[in-house]
């Protein structure tokens, strides 16, 4: 039975790597020529007036949607392949016996690449805690995994450039390391539901599946199918809002309450962001509008991170394993971390 | 044969349970499917990424939602 599996796969091994190799140049050419194509379409084919506001709005939309979707497809594919090299088991093994600070750094970094979905947060939490991984290190992982999101990286890179994407990843890492470390120092194990320590977690009885390059490329395509089919609509709506605001909202509209000189703008952005539940795909085009219309980088970053990284539904899921004081402490510390980042960026830029 | 679907109840787990039922019906084998959403129970199997499938107390796979055809292969493999 099993040999049949292997045989069936080996026929395709040579083939599947060819798919991305053939598609990549096509992707590149399309990406490079996208702007001239769109411009030609809008100005020549449609014959629209170059300086009118409505032309700019339409051009912005027609250009940004395929650009962002193309970037998204490529990055999600690559991340899907990278993630196939990681698993919760390997991450747990790497974290076992690591001291607090080093553990926090490792857990946060692994949080970016380990495949994770919020519905697995509890099984993962149990698995980590049962293996003796400190609470603070576990939290670093649980904070980094949703906060540093590949879709967000793509959108920031596509809409603002690589510097902003890098700022996002490094500040996200900082918050995850910082918050986990503080939670570890506070020794809050007493606020974990007692049953967590009473269950007897077993070891996985199955061996980890051996993956060949073929499987990994499949994993990349699966990730594209799952993620792009879920977020494309948010991206289009977000860019449509962005395009509308791009042409019609006055440039300094946001400056009065989200500008860098308004000291309360950062805590306000976090306060507004936490109960809001949206995925990265929906929130970033909105952030783009905020920035363009005079909101400061620190405030916008804080708002975005509060929306993506701290969400009410996920926090409620954690109630199953954590008592309220720990949940409040967790939200409080992460919110503080986000605010530090916000203030810092408002100060620097 | 007992087939367990481990998962707290998110979309993926529901999909997996549906597909597993279809697979069992199409294979025409004598198997009962149980849904396990108790976290402590899931942890006992050592599963950290849901949904997972357990056949006769052995974890067959975890952290993915295979197609009905793939599930048939997993189930027939799990029987032997």
């Amino acid at each position: 039975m099993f040999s049949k599996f292997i045989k069936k796969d080996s026929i395709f091994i040579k083939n599947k790597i060819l798919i991305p190799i053939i598609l990549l140049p096509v992707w590149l050419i399309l990406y490079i020529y996208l702007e001239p194509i769109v411009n030609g379409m809008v100005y020549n084919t449609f014959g629209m007036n170059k300086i009118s506001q409505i032309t700019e709005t339409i051009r912005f939309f027609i250009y940004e949607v395929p650009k962002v979707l193309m970037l998204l497809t490529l990055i999600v594919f690559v991340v899907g392949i990278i993630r196939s090299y990681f698993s919760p088991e390997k991450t747990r093994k790497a974290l076992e016996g690591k001291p607090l600070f080093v553990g926090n750094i490792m857990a946060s970094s692994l949080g970016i690449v380990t495949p994770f979905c919020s519905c697995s947060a509890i099984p993962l939490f149990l698995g980590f805690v049962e293996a003796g991984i400190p609470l603070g290190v576990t939290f670093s992982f649980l904070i980094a995994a949703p906060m540093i999101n590949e879709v967000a990286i793509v959108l920031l890179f596509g809409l603002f450039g690589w510097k902003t994407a890098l700022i996002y990843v490094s500040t996200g890492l900082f918050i995850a390391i910082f918050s986990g470390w503080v939670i570890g120092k506070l020794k809050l194990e007493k606020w974990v539901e007692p049953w967590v320590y009473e269950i007897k977690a077993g070891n996985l009885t199955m061996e980890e599946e051996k993956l060949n390059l073929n499987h990994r490329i499949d994993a990349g395509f699966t990730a594209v199918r799952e993620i792009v089919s879920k977020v494309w609509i948010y991206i289009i709506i977000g860019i449509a809002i962005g395009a509308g605001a791009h042409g019609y909202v006055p440039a300094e509209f946001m400056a009065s309450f989200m500008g860098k000189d308004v000291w309360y703008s950062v805590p306000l952005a976090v306060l507004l962001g936490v109960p809001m539940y949206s995925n990265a795909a929906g929130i970033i085009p909105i952030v783009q509008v905020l920035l363009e219309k005079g909101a400061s980088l620190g405030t916008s970053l804080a708002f975005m991170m509060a929306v993506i990284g701290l969400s009410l539904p996920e926090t409620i899921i954690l109630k199953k394993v954590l008592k309220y004081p720990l949940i409040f402490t967790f939200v409080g510390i992460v919110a503080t971390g986000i605010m530090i980042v916000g203030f810092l960026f408002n100060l620097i830029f | 044969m007992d087939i367990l679907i481990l998962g707290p109840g998110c979309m993926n787990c529901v999909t997996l349970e549906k597909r597993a039922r279809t697979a069992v019906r199409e294979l025409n084998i004598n198997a009962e499917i149980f849904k396990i959403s108790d976290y402590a129970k899931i942890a006992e199997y050592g599963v950290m990424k849901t949904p997972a499938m357990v056949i006769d107390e052995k974890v067959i796979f975890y952290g993915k939602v295979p197609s009905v055809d793939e599930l048939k292969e997993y189930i027939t493999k799990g029987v032997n």
Side-chain angles (χ1 to χ4, degrees):
Chain A
M1 194 72 210
F2 198 64
S3 62
K4 201 180 114 199
F5 265 95
I6 295 172
K7 251 191 208 149
K8 196 177 105 192
D9 280 341
S10 58
I11 304 166
F12 291 99
I13 285 177
K14 293 182 199 87
N15 300 342
K16 279 201 179 165
I17 184 76
L18 289 176
I19 306 172
I21 290 178
I22 292 166
L23 286 178
L24 190 64
V26 178
W27 186 97
L28 262 174
I29 292 167
L30 250 167
Y31 189 78
I32 293 169
Y33 287 103
L34 186 64
E35 190 156 24
I37 292 172
V38 168
N39 285 350
M41 232 166 72
V42 172
Y43 299 136
N44 303 331
T45 316
F46 299 167
M48 294 178 84
N49 184 349
K50 259 192 189 183
I51 41 166
S52 98
Q53 210 123 75
I54 182 110
T55 309
E56 184 45 33
T57 301
I58 290 171
R59 196 200 67 87
F60 181 87
F61 182 77
I62 300 182
Y63 173 56
E64 290 296 330
V65 168
K67 183 183 109 180
V68 169
L69 287 180
M70 280 177 74
L71 274 172
L72 185 72
T73 308
L74 181 71
I75 303 284
V76 168
F77 178 72
V78 173
V79 171
I81 290 180
I82 294 174
R83 287 213 171 129
S84 74
Y85 289 91
F86 294 85
S87 69
E89 286 72 33
K90 283 183 195 159
T91 295
R92 179 170 70 178
K93 204 153 190 190
L95 292 176
E96 268 173 63
K98 293 287 181 296
L100 202 54
F101 191 62
V102 178
N104 292 118
I105 296 176
M106 284 182 62
S108 306
S109 317
L110 286 166
I112 307 176
V113 286
T114 309
F116 173 82
C117 96
S118 60
C119 46
S120 291
I122 305 281
L124 193 127
F125 179 86
L126 295 175
F128 275 32
V129 171
E130 296 297 315
I133 292 170
L135 197 61
V137 175
T138 306
F139 264 104
S140 275
F141 181 91
L142 285 176
I143 294 164
M147 177 117 72
I148 306 168
N149 173 296
E150 71 269 30
V151 179
I153 296 175
V154 173
L155 286 164
L156 290 175
F157 175 77
L159 300 173
F160 304 108
W162 64 271
K163 273 187 198 155
T164 316
L166 193 68
I167 287 172
Y168 160 70
V169 174
S170 42
T171 52
L173 273 174
F174 163 78
I175 292 166
I177 294 166
F178 162 83
S179 307
W181 183 75
V182 173
I183 289 170
K185 278 283 168 209
L186 290 175
K187 303 219 180 309
L188 303 175
E189 280 77 2
K190 56 181 182 292
W191 285 334
V192 173
E193 291 289 347
W195 69 266
V196 169
Y197 293 108
E198 282 157 17
I199 57 169
K200 275 205 284 292
N203 272 317
L204 202 58
T205 45
M206 65 177 278
E207 288 170 41
E208 207 155 328
E209 288 175 274
K210 290 257 181 297
L211 297 179
N212 56 35
L213 189 60
N214 238 358
H215 292 125
R216 298 189 193 285
I217 290 169
D218 275 342
F221 283 119
T222 307
V224 169
R225 206 171 45 239
E226 279 173 7
I227 294 178
V228 177
S229 71
K230 213 162 59 188
V231 304
W232 67 272
I233 184 76
Y234 298 99
I235 290 182
I236 291 179
I237 293 172
I239 293 175
I241 295 174
H246 188 63
Y248 293 100
V249 178
E252 289 303 303
F253 181 70
M254 293 290 170
S256 57
F257 50 98
M258 281 184 92
K260 63 191 292 181
D261 300 325
V262 191
W263 71 267
Y264 56 82
S265 69
V266 172
L268 189 69
V270 173
L271 219 59
L272 281 174
V274 173
M276 277 179 68
Y277 180 59
S278 164
N279 53 36
I283 202 69
I284 289 171
I286 309 278
V287 168
Q288 188 186 21
V289 180
L290 295 180
L291 274 174
E292 203 180 89
K293 302 303 171 191
S296 62
L297 182 63
T299 308
S300 307
L301 204 63
F303 178 65
M304 183 185 88
M305 285 185 153
V307 174
I308 309 176
L310 273 178
S311 76
L312 222 47
E314 274 171 34
T315 320
I316 291 167
I317 291 178
L318 285 176
K319 178 65 189 80
K320 287 251 196 279
V321 283
L322 308 177
K323 292 179 179 164
Y324 278 121
L326 183 46
I327 291 185
F328 291 134
T329 316
F330 156 67
V331 174
I333 291 171
V334 177
T336 310
I338 296 175
M339 280 192 269
I340 293 175
V341 167
F343 281 127
L344 209 65
F345 274 91
N346 278 352
L347 212 68
I348 300 171
F349 293 101
Chain B
M1 174 171 60
D2 284 348
I3 298 177
L4 312 184
I5 308 291
L6 314 184
C10 54
M11 260 317 281
N12 287 340
C13 323
V14 177
T15 317
L16 178 62
E17 191 187 350
K18 262 192 221 149
R19 287 186 189 170
R21 288 193 189 282
T22 314
V24 164
R25 202 172 49 237
E26 286 177 11
L27 283 171
N28 206 10
I29 52 168
N30 193 13
E32 255 197 284
I33 295 177
F34 300 95
K35 178 80 192 297
I36 307 288
S37 50
D38 180 35
Y39 285 118
K41 199 90 184 133
I42 294 173
E44 276 175 30
Y45 288 101
V47 167
M48 286 197 285
K49 195 159 181 275
T50 56
M53 181 179 268
V54 173
I55 297 180
D56 293 336
E57 297 303 296
K58 260 189 74 186
V59 178
I60 302 295
F61 64 79
Y62 65 95
K64 60 178 178 185
V65 185
S67 66
V68 173
D69 284 336
E70 285 171 308
L71 280 176
K72 282 186 192 167
E73 301 224 31
Y74 277 119
I75 292 170
T76 31
K77 210 167 64 172
V79 179
N80 300 336

